[in-house]
Every structure is written in C-alpha cells, then in structure tokens.
Amino acid sequence: MTGGTSGFGLVAARRLAEPGRARVLVGARGTTSEGEAVPLDLARLDSVREFAAATRYRLGDRRIDALVLNAGVVRPGVEQRTADGFETTFAVNHLAHYLVLRLLLPLLADGAVVVLTTSGAHDPATRAGLAPPRHADATLLAFPERDPGRDDRPRRAGQHAYTASKLCTVLTVRALSGVEDLRSRGLRAVAFDPGQVFGTGLVRALPRRLRTVWSVLGSPVGAPLRWLDPTLNGRDDAGRALSALALGHVAPPPGRSYAALRRGRMTWPEPSEAGRDDELARRLWDDSAHLVGLAG
Ligand SMILES: NC(=O)c1ccc[n+]([C@@H]2O[C@H](COP(=O)([O-])OP(=O)(O)OC[C@H]3O[C@@H](n4cnc5c(N)ncnc54)[C@H](OP(=O)(O)O)[C@@H]3O)[C@@H](O)[C@H]2O)c1
C-alpha cells in the first residue's frame, strides 16, 4: 500500500492490519504506525525500484492479494520537479504509481485486487471547483512548460496538474482492465473516488487560510455539512471504504471499475467521458512506460 501513513489511508491501513486480517506493507517516506514500513519516496523513481525490490524480497514465495495505491499530493503550482525532472504532482500521483504497478504486477496473486485512489475532480461534470483536466498527455504533464494550452496562473496550473493526474489514474485502471494476462488471472482493478474528505494532510502545501478552513471542516464542526452534500465523507468512512475494497468485501458490479463514495456508501457510476476513452488509456500507458524507462 502507498499513502497509508496519513489521512484516510491511515484509517484503511489500521483496519487492514487488524489481527487476523492481513499482513500490510506500507510504502512510506518515514515510519508508520500501522503495518510494516518499506522505504518509498514517490518523488524518486530509483526509490520506487528499490521499494519494489524490497517488497519482492520480503514476500519470498508469497503473493500480493491487494495492491492499494493511495498516496497523493496537491501543489500550489507546477514549478516543482522531482529528482527525475518531472512535474511533482503528475510524477507522484501518476507516474511513480504506474511504475509501482508495473513492477509489482507479476507478484499479484490470481484474483487479486488493485485499487488506485482517484478523485471526482477528474470529471469536469462534477464541477468540483478545480481547473478540470484538459488532456492526459503524459509528456505535457511531465513537462508542463511544453504545454501550448497551459494556464500560467500558478494556482490554476497546480489544480490542472492534480485533476489531470487523477484522470490518469482512471485511465490506468481502464488500461489495466484490457491487459489480457490480467483478465486470465482474474485480477480486478478499481479507481476509488473518496469524495471530499476534509481534515486530511492533502492541502499541507497550500496557503495557510485554505489549510485552516480544511482543518475546521474536517473537525466535528464540519460534520453537519455531510447531510447537505452527498460527496462529503468523513475520514473514517473513506478509510473503511478503501479497506473494504482491498479486502474484497465490496466488489465492482460487472463492467464497472469506478467506485465513488457518496454519503458513506459505495456507488458505481461511470467516470468522465475522457476516463472511458480506450485509445487515451492505451496512449497514456505507453507514454508512461516510455517516461519511466519500460517497454509499453
Ligand atoms: N482528501 C480529499 O478530499 C481527497 C479527495 C479526492 C481524492 N483524494 C486522494 O486521496 C488520497 C489520500 O489523500 P488524503 O486526503 O488522505 O491526504 P494525506 O493525508 O495528505 O495523505 C497522502 C498520503 O500520500 C503520501 N505521500 C505523499 N507524497 C509522497 C511521496 N513522495 N512518497 C511517498 N508517499 C507520499 C503521504 O505520506 P506522508 O505521511 O509521508 O506525507 C500520505 O500517506 C490522495 O491520492 C488524494 O489525492 C483525497
């Protein structure tokens, strides 16, 4: 699992690691209070490769029943670059996870589940208030200065990087579902939209005023809002839903792979129009492979 050290991912890791449930390996930059920490910094592809090798070593002959890729960041702009020279939001949210997935796919047990955390904001129709994704072109997202349609206002550019990275997550799940080897092994892939979950660490890089509002809305003061807006969920509900997907207690109905948590209940709507585009999914898969140095 990634993203099991904070926010609702920590709640999910705690539930997964309850006695008798699962052995949980958590890719983490530091220590973790739940499961076993395996060093991982998603802002460095060499760290991702070391994480995959360490996971392989720790597993020995055993196989992975659930791969949960939940880590994510939001940045105030697109200036920051990772150790590999890619725009940070895209690199952490999509590219590094793509590499984790590719390296760990051979270690998945037959019938395993892969859960990737996305966001309803990947879909312009949700009017989430963030700049919607204009495309899922991996090269332009990795190097936004090459994007002819870019918005130079830092805040909007940062929002675009985030929503586009989450569209990439939906498309990665789409592409995975088309991999013949996975179908024959009975693997399931799900893109999980937790709704809006206040009070997590997600906005830590954003301005202080926004962080304060986020934290107040995440406290009991903000709880009544959940009655008004079905997309709002508490950390416990979102963590419980994520762990239920990982444990296979909730499974997608036939033909669905997008899970959206609404009022604490799992729903299975269609993702955005772009998120259902097989050609876009295939291109993203191949371009991502090229960027991380793998064959398509
Ligand atoms: N909260 C929401 O409203 C919302 C809505 C839609 C989607 N999401 C998505 O849900 C997921 C969890 O978000 P959250 O709200 O629970 O936020 P959070 O509390 O900030 O959790 C983010 C997790 O990602 C990890 N992470 C970040 N950068 C990393 C890196 N370079 N290497 C390794 N791990 C890294 C963090 O680890 P550290 O503990 O080391 O920082 C943390 O465990 C994210 O993918 C987010 O985009 C959240």
Side-chain angles (χ1 to χ4, degrees), residues 118-120 122 170 190-191 193 256-260 262 267-271:
T118 180
S119 164
H122 87 278
V170 172
V190 176
D193 159 18
R256 294 294 161 117
S257 58
Y258 180 67
R262 300 293 177 254
T267 63
W268 299 92
E270 290 282 13

Side-chain angles (χ1 to χ4, degrees), residues 120 125-129 193-198 214 217 222-234 237 260-265:
T126 60
R127 300 186 193 284
D193 159 18
Q196 182 88 50
V197 188
F198 293 118
W214 184 266
L217 291 178
L225 286 178
R226 287 183 220 142
W227 292 105
L228 302 174
D229 183 344
T231 68
L232 301 186
N233 294 298
D237 281 342
L261 195 65
R262 300 293 177 254
R263 282 214 168 90
R265 283 188 43 247

Side-chain angles (χ1 to χ4, degrees), residues 5-6 29 41-42 70 118 162 166 195 197 200-202 204:
T5 54
S6 167
R29 290 183 280 191
D41 181 356
L42 291 158
N70 176 64
T118 180
Y162 180 74
K166 293 302 182 181
V197 188
T200 68
L202 191 62
R204 69 189 84 176

